[in-house]
Amino acid sequence: MAGLPAPDLRVSPPAPQPWRRHIVLQLRDRDQNQRTGFQDLIRIYSRLLEKTSLTKGILGRAGRCPSGPQSSLQDQNLQLRKTTGELAYQVLELQQQIKIKEAAVQDQQDRLVQEEVRRAGALAARQALQERVDQVQGRNRVLKADYDALLDLQTGAEARLREEKLRGGGLVEDMVHLKKEAAARMNTRNERRSRFREATLQKELRRAARSSPARSSPARSSAPISPSSAPSSRSSSPKNQDEELAGRGHTRLFRSSSATSPRLFTSIRGLFGRRRGHSVCSLEETLSFPVGVCVSARVPARALQVLEAHQQGINAVRFSCSSDLLATGGTDRVIKVWELRAGQLTHRATLDGSREGVSCVEFDPPGQRILAGSFDKSALLWRLGDSTPKVTLTGHSRKVTAARFTGSAHQVVTGSADRTVRLWDLQRNACVQQLLVSSYVSDLVCSDSVFISGHFDCRIRVWDSRLSGCVQELPAPGKVTSLDLSSDHRRLLSCCRDDSLQLVDLRGRSQDRVCFRADGFKCGSDSNKAVISPDGCYLAAGSADASVYIWNVSNGNLETRLPDGHSSPVVAVSWSLSGENVVSVDKSRWAVLWSDL
């Protein structure tokens, strides 16, 4: 077998085909691998055959030789047999190794086939994903084009909106100017007519005075002329009566005309009760509104009513100027309006529109509008008869913590956690002034063009809208949670997180400060609200121990403590302007009406 040449498998294909060439290369590799593994075996087997042939020859010659060396031949034979057995054992071991290597090669080939299948699947998946990527990119390009087109449309619409707003503002100004001119012309015309009527009345009265002695008797002519002595032809007309009385009041010809005469009041109402021309003032501004006047505030002694005012905690409470309406705002995103009659609060209206909790509420002086700050970064304005807000003021970047009406009927000021104070014009629904502050704004109070803000940096700042800046800073003993201004605008109350109230006298240059504390009083939150009584004699604040504390301003001592009514920390207190009632609210949605009765 050693002399046999290896079979030549390199057959030239009739035509060069890739798959045939691949098969031929695989057969060559297989032949080379298998031949390399069997070369040692073939070489050993060839040597074994040679030794066997040699042994046979030696044995043949030994048969022909004498028996002398027979023993040595047997030893050689045994040695050869032993060698043959060892070689046979090696052959078996080599065959076993060949089988193991063939199994390993077969396993590798199976794994190679599996990997080829997985590779083909991965290529197909990659192709599908690439197609999806192309589709998504195509859709993105279409969407990008649509977005650019919409952005252009929005930019154009905003530009047109700004132009229309400017145009509308100009039209409003022109309209107001025209109305003012028309009102001025109508007032001038009415004054001319009034002067003409007065002159005519004076002439007629002089003529009547000259002609009356000739028609009357001497006894009657000496008597004073009363207001009822006018000719019957003129007294039959109400218009002429008013004109005659107006002329008498103007010239004071007759002493019998009393200032308390009903006819004189009728004539005055006739002259000034009519509406002149087209006035630019609204009816709401010209009408008088009731205001509760407090002569002496009453210190509450017991709870008249305890009611569940909201579904969640209450953050703010405020009486109207007439003391008959109460507004409460809570974390349930609504404001509830209550009517106070006969010592009981009854629900009147619910105002919604805030997207988050309400932080503060306030009535305007006529009591027809309610302003509120919200945690949704806006301030909202309702009319009392509407449940939805009329105006929404947006611009703050964090929650609005304070909102107040200024001295003007068309301006409000707001403070926010974004460290800004903003002045708003309600006629344009726009911010007209923004003031940057170095600390969190917790509360605000206003007096004409001046407003005061409290902050978490233990400072109270006084602002003047005419100067567009801070004009004074006042220190506070702790973080300021609320501010309140006395009815005469002379004293400022601040509630601080160091569990104290500070009353500042704004009249003097030194600005005297008085601190009020009490055993057990604890400021329960960063928005705890304290108030001054309408007569300025008492201070009231809620505590974390579910009580209401009231101090006497004159001696600085605790006047009373109201422990009953609440079961959770009291966060806000409001004192009616009439001084008769106090309402406190807590974090567990309860409101308590207090009185001295």
Side-chain angles (χ1 to χ4, degrees), residues 362-377:
E362 187 181 21
F363 283 92
D364 67 341
Q368 300 298 321
R369 296 180 297 176
I370 294 179
L371 178 66
S374 174
F375 292 163
D376 64 359
K377 310 173 188 178

Side-chain angles (χ1 to χ4, degrees), residues 464-518:
D464 193 335
S465 61
R466 296 166 297 185
L467 302 177
S468 302
C470 180
V471 296
Q472 190 176 9
E473 284 192 9
L474 306 176
K479 288 183 179 179
V480 180
T481 64
S482 71
L483 296 175
D484 193 28
L485 203 59
S486 62
S487 58
D488 56 2
H489 292 187
R490 294 182 178 181
R491 289 179 289 183
L492 176 69
L493 174 66
S494 62
C495 181
C496 302
R497 284 293 281 172
D498 68 336
D499 304 330
S500 70
L501 274 64
Q502 180 178 256
L503 189 63
V504 181
D505 190 353
L506 301 177
R507 293 174 296 178
R509 294 182 180 179
S510 60
Q511 293 172 343
D512 297 332
R513 300 176 181 85
V514 181
C515 254
F516 296 84
R517 299 179 185 271

